[in-house]
Amino acid sequence: MDKRVVLAVAGSGKTRLLIDQLNEHDRFLILTYTNNNQENLKARIFEKFSCIPQNIKISGYFQFLYGFCVKPLLGDELDIKGICWKVPPAYTLKLKRDKRAFYFDDYDFIYHNRMAKLIEGMSEIKERIAKYYDHLLIDEAQDFGGHDFNFLCSLAKMDPDILLVGDFYQHTFDTSKDGATNSTLYNDYDKYLAKLEKSGFKADKTTLVKSHRCSPTVCTYVHKNLEIHIESHRQDETEIIVCDSQEDADRLFKDQSIVKLFYQNSSKYPCYSDNWGNSKGQDHYNDVCIVLNPSSLKNFQEGTMAELNPQTKGKLYVACTRARGDLYFVPEKYFKKFKMNA
């Protein structure tokens, strides 16, 4: 059966690719991490079929992990009361001796970031998925971290078709973390891809390499300065504009047609704004203003933005690729006078 991972770029049509796989005959399970993605998928499926067909199931990842995998197969045997969302104790010699304490808190709630590890090697999981579904589609695959990534890789050995779709460089969140487990997974594109391929997935690096959203101007800028390969379906050119005066910054701040994307604390500025990472998934902006905090401004001025730490670089990539139109850069210092104390 087909096991594929499609490496996408921002605005290239990841959701469209998933929706195109669906029909009203086969049994589909679509998994994604965030509630926003679930709602977006439901809307797009409804747009295609004028309903949500009974053969198509959309689920959040942890909803699937607990409700479909852990609880039905192990709930009674292990007396599982629910999910614990707190960070568990670090792995120690004591936990090595007490395996239950590794997975469960004192109230018999299973730690969310260790559920995948508990069931990773169970053949019953693969059999259960195969019993109910013909195709497993996973959106935003780059969000899988910790033990969840290992669990994802283990699914490549089951019968149903699997399609993973994600943008490696839009890794700004993790399904979960647990100490050193895959803690550096998203630091190296080639190593990440090698792990998926070793597990049995075939990599597709060409289908979604071009963005519908971003102009050739923005794509070239991102490719050159962040060293992230992205092309454009479009032919028109837009502008990259650097704001270097207080007067221009004031005018830009007050322009409510241009979203201002901050590294953090956007809510402290009384304007149309969001944070870099939080803007992931937003597709309605036209012109976008990137607000550079002191550390990113230094890299910007030195031409070393590609050397930002992977998480910061990923968030900046997300922010830059929200733009359909022009892309502005402004030092945060010019907006300081507008910042609210509360």
Side-chain angles (χ1 to χ4, degrees):
M1 304 296 277
D2 187 37
K3 305 293 186 294
R4 244 191 331 148
V5 54
V6 178
L7 282 302
V9 299
S12 58
K14 294 186 290 293
T15 303
R16 180 186 300 135
L17 179 69
L18 291 173
I19 300 302
D20 285 347
Q21 311 304 307
L22 305 177
N23 59 55
E24 295 181 277
H25 309 291
D26 296 342
R27 301 168 302 167
F28 294 89
L29 172 61
I30 308 176
L31 297 182
T32 190
Y33 177 37
T34 67
N35 291 332
N36 283 342
N37 282 344
Q38 288 184 60
E39 294 307 312
N40 181 42
L41 284 164
K42 288 177 183 178
R44 295 288 291 273
I45 292 170
F46 191 90
E47 182 181 321
K48 178 173 181 174
F49 297 105
S50 299
C51 66
I52 306 294
Q54 291 187 347
N55 62 308
I56 300 172
K57 170 73 173 177
I58 307 105
S59 175
Y61 171 66
F62 283 108
Q63 177 187 353
F64 159 77
L65 201 61
Y66 182 75
F68 185 84
C69 300
V70 175
K71 189 66 174 176
L73 294 174
L74 298 172
D76 292 336
E77 177 186 341
L78 298 179
D79 191 26
I80 304 173
K81 296 295 192 292
I83 302 175
C84 177
W85 298 101
K86 295 180 181 179
V87 177
Y91 188 65
T92 61
L93 185 61
K94 180 182 178 181
L95 282 185
K96 187 175 181 180
R97 290 194 298 264
D98 185 355
K99 290 187 177 181
R100 186 171 181 85
F102 178 81
Y103 292 106
F104 295 89
D105 68 7
D106 294 336
Y107 304 96
D108 298 318
F109 281 69
I110 187 168
Y111 292 117
H112 72 286
N113 60 339
R114 290 176 178 168
M115 280 195 290
K117 182 174 177 60
L118 180 66
I119 63 173
E120 183 185 325
M122 291 180 62
S123 61
E124 294 90 340
I125 298 296
K126 301 178 183 67
E127 292 167 4
R128 182 168 167 78
I129 295 173
K131 179 180 178 180
Y132 291 100
Y133 299 105
D134 304 306
H135 307 273
L136 174 59
L137 312 180
I138 299 181
D139 191 19
E140 303 292 356
Q142 80 284 341
D143 287 339
F144 282 71
H147 301 296
D148 301 315
F149 178 79
N150 294 338
F151 174 69
L152 187 65
C153 289
S154 73
L155 295 181
K157 296 177 175 62
M158 68 179 186
D159 289 337
D161 290 338
I162 306 179
L163 174 62
L164 312 181
V165 181
D167 182 349
F168 174 85
Y169 294 103
Q170 285 197 65
H171 171 72
T172 57
F173 304 106
D174 286 287
T175 49
S176 69
K177 297 179 180 180
D178 192 10
T181 303
N182 287 319
S183 61
T184 61
L185 178 65
Y186 292 96
N187 288 356
D188 190 308
Y189 176 90
D190 292 329
K191 290 182 179 178
Y192 167 81
L193 198 55
K195 285 190 174 185
L196 286 170
E197 291 179 322
K198 184 178 180 180
S199 70
F201 287 99
K202 294 180 181 178
D204 178 345
K205 296 182 283 186
T206 59
T207 298
L208 295 181
V209 74
K210 292 187 177 183
S211 177
H212 294 278
R213 181 191 305 132
C214 301
S215 69
T217 310
V218 171
C219 290
T220 299
Y221 185 87
V222 168
H223 189 189
K224 179 180 178 181
N225 291 279
L226 294 181
E227 296 181 1
I228 295 173
H229 183 72
I230 178 172
E231 300 173 23
S232 178
H233 278 288
R234 294 164 51 181
Q235 300 297 320
D236 61 306
E237 297 294 337
T238 56
E239 291 190 76
I240 307 293
I241 303 164
V242 179
C243 179
D244 57 4
S245 75
Q246 187 65 57
E247 181 180 2
D248 289 340
D250 290 350
R251 187 163 44 248
L252 188 58
F253 186 85
K254 295 172 183 176
D255 189 337
Q256 293 300 304
S257 69
I258 302 175
V259 65
K260 269 65 73 174
L261 298 180
F262 293 79
Y263 175 70
Q264 61 185 5
N265 297 324
S266 63
S267 61
K268 293 186 177 181
Y269 293 86
C271 64
Y272 179 30
S273 67
D274 207 334
N275 292 333
W276 292 356
N278 198 50
S279 67
K280 184 168 75 169
Q282 299 300 323
D283 192 37
H284 61 280
Y285 302 136
N286 189 48
D287 295 344
V288 169
C289 172
I290 306 297
V291 184
L292 298 165
N293 64 343
S295 59
S296 60
L297 176 62
K298 183 174 184 293
N299 289 90
F300 179 82
Q301 292 171 332
E302 294 175 352
T304 57
M305 288 195 292
E307 298 175 13
L308 289 165
N309 75 64
Q311 189 173 44
T312 301
K313 178 180 172 179
K315 291 179 179 179
L316 181 56
Y317 165 64
V318 166
C320 289
T321 54
R322 296 314 93 192
R324 290 182 176 276
D326 297 336
L327 187 59
Y328 293 80
F329 289 94
V330 59
E332 189 178 37
K333 65 182 180 180
Y334 289 133
F335 286 171
K336 285 293 186 182
K337 69 178 188 177
F338 300 108
K339 189 175 182 180
M340 300 180 292
N341 294 325

Coordinates of all heavy atoms in Angstrom, one line a residue, residues 22-67:
L22 N -10.1 12.6 -1.4 CA -11.3 12.1 -0.8 C -12.4 11.7 -1.9 O -12.5 12.3 -2.9 CB -12.0 13.1 0.1 CG -11.1 13.6 1.2 CD1 -11.8 14.7 2.0 CD2 -10.6 12.5 2.1
N23 N -13.1 10.6 -1.6 CA -14.3 10.2 -2.4 C -15.4 9.8 -1.4 O -15.2 9.8 -0.2 CB -13.9 9.1 -3.4 CG -13.4 7.9 -2.7 OD1 -14.0 7.3 -1.8 ND2 -12.2 7.4 -3.1
E24 N -16.5 9.4 -1.9 CA -17.6 9.0 -1.1 C -17.7 7.5 -0.9 O -18.8 7.0 -0.5 CB -18.9 9.5 -1.7 CG -19.0 11.1 -1.6 CD -20.2 11.6 -2.2 OE1 -20.3 11.8 -3.4 OE2 -21.2 11.9 -1.4
H25 N -16.7 6.7 -1.3 CA -16.7 5.3 -1.2 C -15.7 4.7 -0.2 O -16.1 3.9 0.6 CB -16.5 4.7 -2.6 CG -17.3 5.3 -3.7 ND1 -18.7 5.1 -3.7 CD2 -17.0 6.2 -4.7 CE1 -19.2 5.7 -4.8 NE2 -18.2 6.4 -5.4
D26 N -14.4 5.1 -0.3 CA -13.4 4.5 0.6 C -13.6 5.2 2.0 O -14.2 6.2 2.2 CB -12.0 4.8 0.1 CG -11.7 4.1 -1.2 OD1 -12.5 3.2 -1.5 OD2 -10.8 4.5 -1.9
R27 N -13.0 4.5 3.0 CA -13.1 5.0 4.4 C -11.8 5.8 4.7 O -10.7 5.3 4.7 CB -13.2 3.8 5.3 CG -14.5 3.0 5.0 CD -14.4 1.7 5.8 NE -13.2 0.9 5.5 CZ -12.8 -0.1 6.2 NH1 -13.5 -0.5 7.3 NH2 -11.7 -0.8 5.8
F28 N -12.0 7.1 5.1 CA -10.9 8.0 5.3 C -10.8 8.4 6.8 O -11.9 8.8 7.3 CB -11.0 9.2 4.4 CG -10.9 9.0 3.0 CD1 -12.0 8.7 2.2 CD2 -9.6 9.0 2.3 CE1 -11.8 8.4 0.8 CE2 -9.5 8.8 1.0 CZ -10.6 8.5 0.2
L29 N -9.6 8.5 7.3 CA -9.4 9.2 8.6 C -8.4 10.3 8.4 O -7.3 10.0 7.9 CB -8.9 8.2 9.6 CG -8.4 8.8 11.0 CD1 -9.6 9.5 11.7 CD2 -7.8 7.7 11.9
I30 N -8.8 11.5 8.7 CA -7.9 12.7 8.6 C -7.5 13.1 10.0 O -8.4 13.5 10.8 CB -8.6 13.8 7.8 CG1 -9.2 13.3 6.5 CG2 -7.6 14.9 7.5 CD1 -9.9 14.4 5.7
L31 N -6.2 13.2 10.2 CA -5.7 13.7 11.5 C -5.0 15.0 11.4 O -4.3 15.2 10.4 CB -4.7 12.6 12.1 CG -5.3 11.2 12.5 CD1 -4.1 10.4 13.1 CD2 -6.5 11.3 13.4
T32 N -5.2 15.8 12.3 CA -4.4 17.1 12.4 C -4.3 17.5 13.9 O -5.0 16.9 14.7 CB -5.1 18.2 11.6 OG1 -4.2 19.3 11.5 CG2 -6.4 18.6 12.2
Y33 N -3.4 18.4 14.1 CA -3.1 18.8 15.5 C -4.0 19.8 16.1 O -4.5 19.7 17.2 CB -1.6 19.2 15.5 CG -1.1 19.6 16.9 CD1 -1.5 19.0 18.1 CD2 -0.2 20.7 17.0 CE1 -1.1 19.4 19.3 CE2 0.3 21.1 18.3 CZ -0.2 20.4 19.4 OH 0.3 20.9 20.6
T34 N -4.2 20.9 15.4 CA -4.9 22.1 16.0 C -6.4 22.1 15.7 O -6.9 21.5 14.6 CB -4.3 23.4 15.5 OG1 -4.6 23.5 14.1 CG2 -2.8 23.4 15.7
N35 N -7.2 22.7 16.5 CA -8.6 22.8 16.3 C -8.9 23.7 15.1 O -9.9 23.4 14.3 CB -9.3 23.5 17.5 CG -9.3 22.6 18.7 OD1 -9.3 21.4 18.6 ND2 -9.3 23.2 19.9
N36 N -8.1 24.7 14.8 CA -8.3 25.5 13.6 C -8.2 24.7 12.4 O -9.0 24.9 11.4 CB -7.3 26.7 13.6 CG -7.6 27.8 14.6 OD1 -8.8 27.9 15.0 ND2 -6.7 28.6 14.9
N37 N -7.2 23.8 12.3 CA -7.1 23.0 11.1 C -8.3 22.0 11.0 O -8.7 21.7 9.8 CB -5.8 22.1 11.2 CG -4.5 23.0 10.9 OD1 -4.6 24.0 10.3 ND2 -3.4 22.5 11.3
Q38 N -8.8 21.5 12.1 CA -9.9 20.6 12.0 C -11.1 21.4 11.3 O -11.8 20.8 10.5 CB -10.3 20.1 13.4 CG -9.4 19.1 14.0 CD -9.9 18.6 15.3 OE1 -11.0 18.0 15.4 NE2 -9.1 18.8 16.3
E39 N -11.4 22.6 11.8 CA -12.5 23.4 11.3 C -12.3 23.7 9.8 O -13.2 23.7 9.0 CB -12.7 24.6 12.2 CG -13.1 24.4 13.6 CD -14.3 23.5 13.7 OE1 -15.3 23.7 12.9 OE2 -14.3 22.5 14.4
N40 N -11.0 24.0 9.5 CA -10.7 24.4 8.1 C -11.0 23.2 7.2 O -11.6 23.3 6.1 CB -9.3 24.8 8.0 CG -8.9 25.2 6.6 OD1 -9.7 25.9 5.8 ND2 -7.7 24.8 6.1
L41 N -10.6 22.0 7.6 CA -10.8 20.8 6.8 C -12.3 20.5 6.7 O -12.7 20.1 5.6 CB -10.0 19.6 7.5 CG -8.5 19.6 7.3 CD1 -7.9 18.6 8.4 CD2 -8.1 19.2 5.9
K42 N -13.0 20.6 7.8 CA -14.5 20.4 7.7 C -15.1 21.3 6.7 O -16.0 20.9 5.9 CB -15.1 20.5 9.1 CG -14.7 19.4 10.1 CD -15.3 19.7 11.4 CE -14.9 18.7 12.4 NZ -15.4 18.9 13.8
A43 N -14.7 22.6 6.7 CA -15.3 23.5 5.8 C -15.0 23.2 4.3 O -15.8 23.3 3.4 CB -14.8 24.9 6.1
R44 N -13.7 22.7 4.1 CA -13.3 22.4 2.7 C -14.0 21.1 2.2 O -14.4 21.0 1.1 CB -11.8 22.3 2.7 CG -11.1 23.6 2.9 CD -11.2 24.5 1.8 NE -10.5 24.1 0.6 CZ -9.2 24.3 0.4 NH1 -8.5 25.0 1.3 NH2 -8.6 23.9 -0.7
I45 N -14.2 20.2 3.1 CA -14.9 18.9 2.8 C -16.4 19.2 2.5 O -16.9 18.7 1.5 CB -14.8 17.9 3.9 CG1 -13.3 17.4 4.0 CG2 -15.7 16.7 3.7 CD1 -13.0 16.6 5.2
F46 N -17.0 20.1 3.3 CA -18.4 20.5 3.1 C -18.5 21.2 1.7 O -19.5 21.0 1.0 CB -18.8 21.4 4.2 CG -20.3 21.6 4.2 CD1 -21.2 20.8 4.9 CD2 -20.9 22.7 3.5 CE1 -22.6 21.0 4.9 CE2 -22.3 22.9 3.4 CZ -23.1 22.0 4.1
E47 N -17.5 22.0 1.4 CA -17.5 22.7 0.1 C -17.5 21.7 -1.1 O -18.1 22.0 -2.1 CB -16.3 23.6 0.1 CG -16.2 24.5 -1.2 CD -14.9 25.4 -1.2 OE1 -14.6 25.9 -0.1 OE2 -14.3 25.5 -2.2
K48 N -16.8 20.6 -0.9 CA -16.6 19.6 -2.0 C -17.9 18.8 -2.1 O -18.3 18.5 -3.2 CB -15.4 18.8 -1.8 CG -15.2 17.7 -2.8 CD -13.9 16.9 -2.7 CE -13.8 15.9 -3.8 NZ -12.4 15.2 -3.7
F49 N -18.4 18.3 -1.0 CA -19.5 17.3 -1.0 C -20.9 17.9 -0.6 O -21.9 17.2 -0.7 CB -19.2 16.2 -0.1 CG -17.9 15.4 -0.5 CD1 -16.8 15.5 0.2 CD2 -18.0 14.5 -1.6 CE1 -15.6 14.8 -0.2 CE2 -16.8 13.8 -2.0 CZ -15.7 13.9 -1.3
S50 N -20.9 19.1 -0.2 CA -22.1 19.8 0.4 C -22.6 19.1 1.7 O -23.8 19.2 2.1 CB -23.3 19.7 -0.7 OG -22.9 20.5 -1.8
C51 N -21.7 18.3 2.3 CA -22.0 17.7 3.6 C -20.6 17.1 4.0 O -19.6 17.2 3.3 CB -23.0 16.6 3.4 SG -22.5 15.2 2.4
I52 N -20.7 16.5 5.2 CA -19.5 15.7 5.7 C -19.9 14.2 5.5 O -20.7 13.7 6.3 CB -19.1 15.9 7.1 CG1 -18.9 17.4 7.4 CG2 -17.9 15.1 7.5 CD1 -17.7 18.0 6.7
P53 N -19.4 13.6 4.4 CA -19.8 12.2 4.2 C -19.5 11.3 5.4 O -18.5 11.5 6.1 CB -19.0 11.8 2.9 CG -18.7 13.1 2.3 CD -18.5 14.1 3.4
Q54 N -20.3 10.2 5.6 CA -20.1 9.3 6.7 C -18.9 8.5 6.6 O -18.4 8.0 7.6 CB -21.4 8.4 6.8 CG -22.6 9.1 7.2 CD -23.8 8.2 7.5 OE1 -23.7 7.0 7.1 NE2 -24.8 8.6 8.1
N55 N -18.3 8.4 5.4 CA -17.1 7.6 5.2 C -15.8 8.4 5.5 O -14.7 7.9 5.4 CB -17.0 7.0 3.8 CG -17.0 8.1 2.7 OD1 -17.8 9.0 2.7 ND2 -16.0 8.1 1.9
I56 N -16.0 9.7 5.9 CA -14.8 10.6 6.1 C -14.9 11.0 7.6 O -15.8 11.7 8.0 CB -14.8 11.8 5.2 CG1 -14.8 11.3 3.7 CG2 -13.7 12.7 5.5 CD1 -14.9 12.4 2.7
K57 N -13.8 10.7 8.3 CA -13.7 11.1 9.7 C -12.6 12.1 9.9 O -11.4 11.8 9.5 CB -13.5 9.9 10.6 CG -13.1 10.1 12.1 CD -14.3 10.6 12.9 CE -13.9 10.7 14.4 NZ -15.0 11.3 15.2
I58 N -12.8 13.3 10.5 CA -11.8 14.2 10.8 C -11.6 14.2 12.3 O -12.6 14.3 13.1 CB -12.2 15.7 10.4 CG1 -12.6 15.7 8.9 CG2 -11.0 16.6 10.6 CD1 -14.1 15.8 8.7
S59 N -10.4 14.1 12.8 CA -10.1 14.0 14.2 C -8.9 14.7 14.6 O -7.9 14.8 13.8 CB -9.9 12.5 14.6 OG -9.6 12.3 16.0
G60 N -8.9 15.3 15.8 CA -7.7 15.8 16.4 C -6.7 14.7 16.8 O -7.2 13.6 17.1
Y61 N -5.4 14.9 16.8 CA -4.4 13.9 17.0 C -4.6 13.2 18.4 O -4.7 12.0 18.5 CB -3.0 14.4 16.9 CG -2.0 13.4 17.3 CD1 -1.8 12.3 16.6 CD2 -1.2 13.7 18.5 CE1 -0.8 11.3 17.1 CE2 -0.3 12.8 18.9 CZ -0.1 11.6 18.2 OH 0.8 10.7 18.6
F62 N -4.7 14.0 19.4 CA -4.9 13.4 20.8 C -6.2 12.8 21.0 O -6.4 11.8 21.8 CB -4.6 14.5 21.9 CG -3.1 14.7 22.0 CD1 -2.5 15.9 21.6 CD2 -2.2 13.8 22.5 CE1 -1.2 16.2 21.7 CE2 -0.9 14.0 22.7 CZ -0.4 15.2 22.2
Q63 N -7.2 13.3 20.3 CA -8.6 12.7 20.4 C -8.5 11.3 19.8 O -9.0 10.3 20.3 CB -9.5 13.5 19.6 CG -10.9 12.9 19.4 CD -11.8 13.8 18.5 OE1 -11.4 14.8 18.0 NE2 -13.0 13.2 18.1
F64 N -7.7 11.1 18.7 CA -7.5 9.8 18.0 C -6.7 8.9 18.9 O -7.0 7.8 19.1 CB -6.8 10.1 16.7 CG -6.1 8.9 16.1 CD1 -6.8 7.8 15.6 CD2 -4.7 8.8 16.2 CE1 -6.1 6.7 15.1 CE2 -4.0 7.7 15.7 CZ -4.7 6.6 15.2
L65 N -5.6 9.5 19.4 CA -4.6 8.7 20.2 C -5.3 8.1 21.4 O -5.1 6.9 21.7 CB -3.4 9.6 20.6 CG -2.1 8.9 21.0 CD1 -1.6 8.1 19.8 CD2 -1.1 9.9 21.4
Y66 N -6.0 8.9 22.2 CA -6.7 8.4 23.4 C -8.0 7.7 23.1 O -8.2 6.6 23.6 CB -6.9 9.6 24.3 CG -7.5 9.2 25.7 CD1 -6.8 8.5 26.6 CD2 -8.9 9.3 25.9 CE1 -7.3 8.1 27.8 CE2 -9.5 8.9 27.1 CZ -8.7 8.3 28.1 OH -9.2 7.9 29.3
G67 N -8.9 8.3 22.3 CA -10.2 7.8 22.1 C -10.3 6.6 21.2 O -11.1 5.7 21.4

